[in-house]
Amino acid sequence: MLAASNLADRLAKDAETVCRHYLSAGRRAGNYWLVGDVGNNKGRSLYVHLAGPRTGRWTDAATGQFGDLLDLIRETCGLVDFRDVAEEARRFLSLPRPEPVLSLGRHAQHSATVERPASERARRLFRMTQPLAGTLADAYLRERGILRASTHAALRFHPSCYYRDLVTGRTSSYPALIAAVTDSSGAITGVHRSWLDPEGVGKAKVDDPRRALGGLLGNGVRFGFPVNAPVPVMAAGEGLETMLSLSHVMPGMPMVAALTANHLAAFRFPPGCRRVYIAADGDAAGRHGIEALSRRAQEEGILPLVLSPDLGDFNEDLRWLGPDRLTANLRAQLVPEDAMAFLPT
């Protein structure tokens, strides 16, 4: 098998191709590849040597980060363990997977002693993303009738997000919609990744195109929550697209996507909450989440009210019936004062 130094040397022999793949927002300038940072943002502060004795070495003049192309893969893909970095490098180089061994050299010894918590890895991944507007993820949501997603700070885009097949162990990368999972103080505790088809506007053709990372329990992806202020009325549900669809027609109402039925049941209510609208999901797990959250709300003196779509879910309502029909359906289900406050007149 190839040791870390040999993998780095193999990558350096094709340094420009590595840069074009992992730092596609950059460009060649003489004997350097220039880009903004390891998050693949446009700019010139990070430079990679493409020729000479330092070929494959890189430095970010703005942050002081530096390393070889293995380090670059680790940073751009948001990886932690060296075995994952090495596997991604082998995938890029089309090398066979190695037999298990006890040591993988300097990089492996370092990673074996540094295992970052999932929440820290999630925050690191979110820092590597770019704004949503004009990206493939923005187009993906627009295709689903969600036209103002880029106004939500919780939603970002990663052009080449690491993906591992949990059955075969093979790794690859796809563009991805990244959503920040936050607690009641606004601190990021996790992320939700939706991998996308790079050739279209649908999901990536993988077995499991959606996964969460980090601390979801009690938390969620929040839209329109005020900072350090009571939230007397809010809406909660499972799916990201469900809650974004509701937010499309009720942008002033704070909303949260808990991402699964079990996490919906465990969502922690914000201070001052008096009413919570729960977006219905028709399957058995969805009903369990609604019932459990409703019981907890009542125990805390909060009025739970269930919102039901006309079709299968609220995104189908938005796409196939249109925002006016969705608004009319919600107006019939909201408390009158909330309908006046949050729905267009």
Side-chain angles (χ1 to χ4, degrees):
M1 57 150 282
L2 291 178
S5 59
N6 289 335
L7 271 176
D9 290 344
R10 289 285 296 269
L11 291 166
K13 290 178 181 178
D14 211 1
E16 183 173 347
T17 303
V18 174
C19 291
R20 289 188 181 279
H21 181 76
Y22 294 101
L23 297 174
S24 57
R27 62 182 181 85
R28 179 162 187 157
N31 290 329
Y32 300 93
W33 187 267
L34 303 179
V35 72
D37 52 35
V38 291
N40 197 30
N41 294 302
K42 292 183 178 180
R44 297 172 55 88
S45 66
L46 189 152
Y47 56 93
V48 184
H49 294 265
L50 300 180
R54 291 183 56 79
T55 298
R57 307 295 297 185
W58 60 274
T59 301
D60 189 331
T63 65
Q65 292 173 285
F66 64 92
D68 59 21
L69 292 177
L70 282 175
D71 297 311
L72 185 68
I73 288 174
R74 184 191 69 234
E75 295 292 335
T76 57
C77 294
L79 305 177
V80 176
D81 296 335
F82 177 72
R83 62 178 178 271
D84 293 333
V85 179
E87 190 167 353
E88 172 65 15
R90 291 188 198 94
R91 183 197 65 79
F92 179 82
L93 293 168
S94 299
L95 296 175
R97 298 178 68 199
E99 295 298 321
V101 293
L102 296 177
S103 174
L104 291 174
R106 175 178 59 86
H107 286 79
Q109 292 166 3
H110 175 72
S111 68
T113 61
V114 181
E115 179 63 29
R116 293 182 175 86
S119 292
E120 183 180 340
R121 289 158 55 201
R123 287 189 287 272
R124 183 179 181 183
L125 176 59
F126 196 75
R127 289 196 297 269
M128 295 165 60
T129 59
Q130 63 191 57
L132 190 71
T135 66
L136 185 65
D138 193 14
Y140 166 80
L141 292 172
R142 286 178 174 274
E143 184 73 11
R144 281 148 183 77
I146 301 165
L147 307 182
R148 294 188 290 271
S150 61
T151 64
H152 298 298
L155 301 179
R156 303 274 291 183
F157 175 67
H158 195 302
S160 184
C161 187
Y162 172 78
Y163 176 85
R164 176 192 285 276
D165 188 305
L166 299 180
V167 176
T168 66
R170 293 174 182 169
T171 60
S172 53
S173 59
Y174 297 90
L177 169 65
I178 308 294
V181 176
T182 57
D183 62 18
S184 58
S185 70
I188 295 177
T189 62
V191 292
H192 184 263
R193 298 155 293 178
S194 299
W195 284 277
L196 306 174
D197 185 344
E199 303 300 327
V201 292
K203 296 184 183 69
K205 296 177 178 62
V206 295
D207 289 338
D208 189 12
R210 298 186 180 195
R211 287 182 195 160
L213 170 68
L216 272 66
L217 190 64
N219 306 315
V221 182
R222 299 169 195 257
F223 310 112
F225 269 69
V227 179
N228 298 323
V231 182
V233 180
M234 62 165 291
E238 282 186 57
L240 199 60
E241 291 168 27
T242 289
M243 301 315 294
L244 283 170
S245 298
L246 289 174
S247 182
H248 181 79
V249 296
M250 294 191 293
M253 182 181 288
M255 300 195 181
V256 64
L259 303 177
T260 72
N262 287 335
H263 288 105
L264 177 63
F267 176 72
R268 298 188 190 100
F269 296 106
C273 188
R274 300 196 312 267
R275 283 189 297 279
V276 57
Y277 291 97
I278 308 173
D281 194 324
D283 61 20
R287 290 192 294 274
H288 160 75
I290 293 169
E291 292 168 0
L293 186 64
S294 296
R295 284 195 301 271
R296 289 187 48 246
Q298 291 172 335
E299 291 168 358
E300 297 185 31
I302 299 168
L303 175 64
L305 298 164
V306 177
L307 298 177
S308 299
D310 278 339
L311 302 178
D313 58 48
F314 285 109
N315 187 242
E316 288 187 7
D317 282 10
L318 178 63
R319 295 169 66 189
W320 306 119
L321 303 180
D324 291 343
R325 175 75 176 271
L326 174 56
T327 298
N329 178 29
L330 293 172
R331 193 181 303 278
Q333 300 185 65
L334 265 58
V335 171
E337 65 181 271
D338 295 337
M340 290 183 62
F342 297 111
L343 289 173
T345 56

